[in-house]
Amino acid sequence: MTLRICLAGATGWAGSELARGIAACADLQLVAAVSRKNAGRVLGDVLGDARLAGSVHASAADAMAAEPCDVFVEYTKPVSAKANILTALAHGAHVVVATSGLTTEDYAEIDEIARQKQRGVLACGNFALTAVLLQRFAEAAAKHLPNWEIIDYGSATKADVPSGTVRELVTRMSKVRKPDVTIAPDKANGPGEARGATMEGIQVHSVRLPGHVLGVDVVFGMPDQTLVLRHNAGSTARPYVDGGLLAIRKVSGLVGLHRGLDKVLDL
């Protein structure tokens, strides 16, 4: 059976690479795309790939009304992501979420509606296998090491802080245990902000500078020893394609919201 896909953000940096990846798969068909700037055009003409014959629409609602799909992939911006996801669920589609910046409250609402509709939502802060493994290794380390903080690296133009990868990591690690914070922000000698933001009991520091794309350090400390788990992304979107394709193929086997690509990996 061929899965029919609608991709929101299909002309973006990562979305366009995923669109080409979908076009190369015999079991997937990209039937529609969402991009306000290129609405009314054929996606293949926009991306220079004749395999992509789906039309581009100005909104998720327009795309879903014109071309029913099995899986909706959200790869736009935080400001539009939640509305797009809820629109897709309302139209009976399963959803893969690649957009960062959604809050815990957003995900709770999405989960409730997905369960009402008996549809799956797979939200992945990062589709790269190295990032998925970092999350799993960090959860394992947190069971044994009581002190840690997270450093989140992003480009100078990345406005959401922290990244979706780190938001997901924070949620997952906090469920293992809350770290022992040695110096709480309100006890610091100096600006408490220098200790970073406290998210679900974890100190998170977001760096936004030229030269970075996406990176995460989880720094664990014990007397006279430290452990640093690090994931760094390169300058292309290619590492995210295989994980995105896997998520598209697997999301229909889920009901409700599930966070992390490892939920559909045999790890």
Side-chain angles (χ1 to χ4, degrees), residues 138 142 148 150 169-177 202 218 220:
W148 73 84
I150 298 174
L169 179 62
V170 164
T171 297
R172 293 173 59 148
M173 293 187 72
S174 68
K175 290 179 179 178
V176 175
R177 67 192 295 182
I202 300 171
V218 187
F220 295 87

Side-chain angles (χ1 to χ4, degrees), residues 169-235:
L169 179 62
V170 164
T171 297
R172 293 173 59 148
M173 293 187 72
S174 68
K175 290 179 179 178
V176 175
R177 67 192 295 182
K178 297 292 193 295
D180 296 336
V181 178
T182 54
I183 301 176
D186 61 348
K187 302 297 183 183
N189 282 331
E193 295 83 357
R195 290 288 295 117
T198 304
M199 299 183 65
E200 301 187 43
I202 300 171
Q203 296 306 119
V204 179
H205 312 262
S206 288
V207 177
R208 294 293 179 264
L209 288 171
H212 292 281
V213 178
L214 177 69
V216 183
D217 287 351
V218 187
V219 184
F220 295 87
M222 293 185 71
D224 292 326
Q225 56 187 317
T226 60
L227 170 67
V228 180
L229 301 178
R230 173 173 291 177
H231 159 73
N232 281 324
S235 60

Side-chain angles (χ1 to χ4, degrees), residues 134-166:
L134 176 139
Q135 291 176 331
R136 290 298 293 268
F137 296 158
E139 287 178 302
K143 295 178 181 178
H144 305 282
L145 306 177
N147 302 89
W148 73 84
E149 299 190 7
I150 298 174
I151 304 175
D152 161 50
Y153 300 94
S155 71
T157 60
K158 188 174 182 62
D160 51 313
V161 290
S163 67
T165 301
V166 171

Side-chain angles (χ1 to χ4, degrees), residues 3 5-26 28-35 42-56 73 75 98 127 237-238 240-242 244-245 248-249:
L3 287 174
I5 314 301
C6 177
L7 174 56
T11 61
W13 177 71
S16 60
E17 195 70 30
L18 179 58
R20 295 184 181 96
I22 292 171
C25 298
L28 305 177
Q29 181 185 6
L30 188 54
V31 297
V34 179
S35 171
V42 174
L43 183 60
D45 293 340
V46 179
L47 300 184
D49 191 329
R51 300 172 300 174
L52 296 166
S55 298
V56 182
V73 182
Y75 232 137
F127 287 112
R238 187 65 188 86
Y240 312 119
V241 173
D242 291 340
L245 297 175
I248 289 169
R249 291 185 173 109

